[in-house]
Amino acid sequence: MTKKMFLIGISLLGLIYSCKESDSEIINQTISQLNSLKTIEYQSIVHCLQKNMNMDRTDSAICYFDFTSNDTLLKAKYQFIHRVGEQVFNGIQAFYSDNSEKRISYMVKPTMYDVNSSIFIINSIYTVRKLLPEMSKDTSILFTRLNDTIIGNQDSYLFSIVMKNKIIDYNEGCKITKSKKGLSYLLSISKKSFLPTQFEWIIPENNGYLRNSFSNFNISAQKADSVWSYDRFPKEYIRLSKKEFFESLRNKASVCIGQQAPAWILPMINGDSINLSKQKGKLVLLEFWFPYCSGCVQSIPHFNEIQKAFGKKGLKVFGIEFTQKDEPFLKTYIEKQKIEYPTLHLGKQVAKEYGVTVAPTIFLIDKSGKIVYSSLGLKNDDLISAINQHL
């Protein structure tokens, strides 16, 4: 009887040992598979649930990583295509596009936070590829194999990862740092490809989680060189540096209806200058625009008509171009587009002071110098009504 129990014990130990080896092999094979990647493209679905904060949000994107980059920030280039536009890091610069507002925001010298704070990089394939080798070797981090699961029709292994005194810190460049509270994560791995199918950060204090699910892998995807430059976007997209964009947003909050319009002096295309302060006693209409902006082009006939209809009644109409410095080009463009109202240029700083981030942006300034109407894009009937009200 004793001998039999001994043999059973040996068998159980062997079974436990083999299970641990199996779990270890799954992790090691995943690490090997991830390290072998030069590029990868996949569908990402990010679900953020924080019940205590009444947050329940889902975002999705097509994510592409190129791990052959020699950059000093991530050692990876990326492109995320989502419902609003794109987020791109080309190893040197980062830029974001907003298709609805036809705007590019770019960073010439991005920081680690700039390139590592996207919702689509947190808990991404990049994160698992970078940190799983370190986590697997850290004896203070506990891996526990849970019941197998199905993620997006993919049979998957499921692991709990408990960090008692450590967390994944994205502000410090996606690395493991010490923490008093520690955090827990869930990692799912495809049984077929040994690629992650889901990575989840459990957020107990908010009764929720941040979960990133992965599907539709393409490990041989390649991108054209043009992807890494924002020059490929239509000319009608406004280009703003990150600094210019956020300065404009801050100013937009203070420059609103009822506020005194910021003063300025700008040159006209014909060489004269206009001083806004000297326009007091007159109703002034400003249109911020730039070449090839489709909304601006469509507005030209309407502003020409407004100039004809209300110019003799005391309305002053000025177009302010705020992206170009090339005066000969602007003269040719204005003639080609048949812009009949006065055009001012070198308006970049003025646009910033008025909080302009899209075009056309329109302001109506009353005779006392206060803003009485503004709009993003031309709303012709509303604008004419405002003009009639304040003339």
Side-chain angles (χ1 to χ4, degrees):
M1 187 72 177
T2 305
K3 184 176 180 181
K4 185 176 181 180
M5 292 180 64
F6 175 77
L7 291 173
I8 292 172
I10 290 294
S11 299
L12 287 172
L13 285 173
L15 179 61
I16 293 169
Y17 179 76
S18 65
C19 286
K20 287 185 178 179
E21 280 294 299
S22 175
D23 296 351
S24 177
E25 281 301 313
I26 293 168
I27 298 298
N28 288 336
Q29 196 159 341
T30 301
I31 291 170
S32 177
Q33 178 73 330
L34 289 170
N35 285 339
S36 71
L37 296 175
K38 292 185 177 180
T39 65
I40 188 169
E41 186 174 68
Y42 59 90
Q43 173 79 38
S44 172
I45 298 177
V46 180
H47 184 198
C48 183
L49 176 66
Q50 298 191 55
K51 294 180 180 179
N52 294 357
M53 300 177 68
N54 295 318
M55 178 182 290
D56 188 354
R57 175 176 173 175
T58 300
D59 296 281
S60 64
I62 301 297
C63 299
Y64 175 82
F65 286 96
D66 181 341
F67 298 112
T68 66
S69 175
N70 293 319
D71 72 275
T72 57
L73 290 176
L74 297 183
K75 300 294 184 183
K77 299 190 291 187
Y78 62 69
Q79 178 197 36
F80 306 146
I81 303 174
H82 48 82
R83 61 181 177 83
V84 175
E86 293 183 31
Q87 299 173 16
V88 178
F89 174 56
N90 63 17
I92 300 172
Q93 297 178 329
F95 60 88
Y96 309 136
S97 70
D98 187 319
N99 295 334
S100 62
E101 296 193 349
K102 293 181 170 58
R103 183 183 63 242
I104 305 293
S105 304
Y106 63 87
M107 288 149 276
V108 176
K109 294 182 179 180
T111 65
M112 177 63 78
Y113 180 80
D114 290 329
V115 300
N116 205 45
S117 58
S118 168
I119 193 70
F120 299 112
I121 202 167
I122 295 174
N123 294 357
S124 65
I125 292 288
Y126 166 83
T127 301
V128 182
R129 183 180 188 269
K130 180 178 180 181
L131 298 183
L132 189 57
E134 180 182 352
M135 293 192 309
S136 67
K137 294 176 182 177
D138 191 331
T139 56
S140 70
I141 297 176
L142 179 62
F143 281 74
T144 303
R145 173 92 171 269
L146 305 178
N147 292 333
D148 295 349
T149 186
I150 296 177
I151 305 293
N153 297 321
Q154 300 178 80
D155 289 333
S156 303
Y157 304 109
L158 178 61
F159 289 88
S160 165
I161 305 173
V162 178
M163 300 183 183
K164 292 183 178 180
N165 297 300
K166 296 178 181 178
I167 60 170
I168 298 175
D169 191 336
Y170 294 96
N171 293 325
E172 294 296 326
C174 187
K175 64 182 183 181
I176 298 171
T177 59
K178 292 182 179 180
S179 171
K180 291 182 179 180
K181 61 178 182 179
L183 287 174
S184 297
Y185 303 84
L186 293 174
L187 174 64
S188 302
I189 299 168
S190 169
K191 292 184 178 182
K192 183 177 180 180
S193 67
F194 284 92
L195 288 171
T197 53
Q198 195 172 86
F199 192 41
E200 178 177 324
W201 165 16
I202 300 171
I203 311 174
E205 62 268 27
N206 288 329
N207 195 17
Y209 54 77
L210 180 63
R211 176 188 295 156
N212 200 336
S213 304
F214 321 112
S215 61
N216 301 326
F217 295 109
N218 182 354
I219 62 174
S220 58
Q222 296 293 323
K223 296 288 182 178
D225 290 343
S226 60
V227 162
W228 307 114
S229 171
Y230 55 77
D231 291 340
R232 62 186 163 87
F233 287 89
K235 290 181 179 179
E236 66 185 74
Y237 277 50
I238 185 174
R239 275 80 167 160
L240 295 173
S241 70
K242 177 187 175 184
K243 182 180 179 182
E244 291 168 343
F245 174 65
F246 282 105
E247 283 179 352
S248 296
L249 288 182
R250 284 195 294 270
N251 292 333
K252 184 183 290 186
S254 59
V255 179
C256 55
I257 293 174
Q259 299 294 314
Q260 199 74 18
W264 46 260
I265 300 174
L266 287 176
M268 296 180 67
I269 291 297
N270 63 14
D272 296 331
S273 293
I274 297 295
N275 186 337
L276 181 63
S277 298
K278 292 184 178 180
Q279 304 302 312
K280 284 193 176 179
K282 302 170 186 175
L283 189 63
V284 177
L285 176 62
L286 304 180
E287 179 217 9
F288 288 87
W289 68 276
F290 63 91
Y292 307 109
C293 159
S294 59
C296 304
V297 172
Q298 292 167 13
S299 298
I300 291 170
H302 298 283
F303 281 105
N304 285 341
E305 286 300 317
I306 289 171
Q307 167 82 353
K308 290 176 185 176
F310 298 100
K312 293 180 181 179
K313 298 179 180 180
L315 176 69
K316 291 290 184 178
V317 182
F318 299 106
I320 300 179
E321 201 293 319
F322 63 102
T323 66
Q324 295 283 336
K325 295 182 180 179
D326 189 341
E327 187 173 350
F329 164 77
L330 287 174
K331 284 182 178 179
T332 302
Y333 183 86
I334 289 167
E335 290 173 4
K336 183 179 179 180
Q337 298 295 340
K338 298 180 181 180
I339 298 175
E340 299 173 5
Y341 45 96
T343 298
L344 314 177
H345 68 123
L346 301 180
K348 190 172 187 177
Q349 182 59 38
V350 175
K352 207 184 300 182
E353 291 172 359
Y354 277 70
V356 174
T357 59
V358 298
T361 297
I362 298 154
F363 294 94
L364 186 64
I365 302 170
D366 72 5
K367 297 175 183 180
S368 69
K370 290 183 179 179
I371 296 171
V372 292
Y373 174 88
S374 68
S375 70
L376 304 180
L378 175 62
K379 301 174 179 64
N380 199 50
D381 292 343
D382 292 345
L383 176 57
I384 289 175
S385 176
I387 292 170
N388 281 317
Q389 181 181 348
H390 293 282
L391 260 180

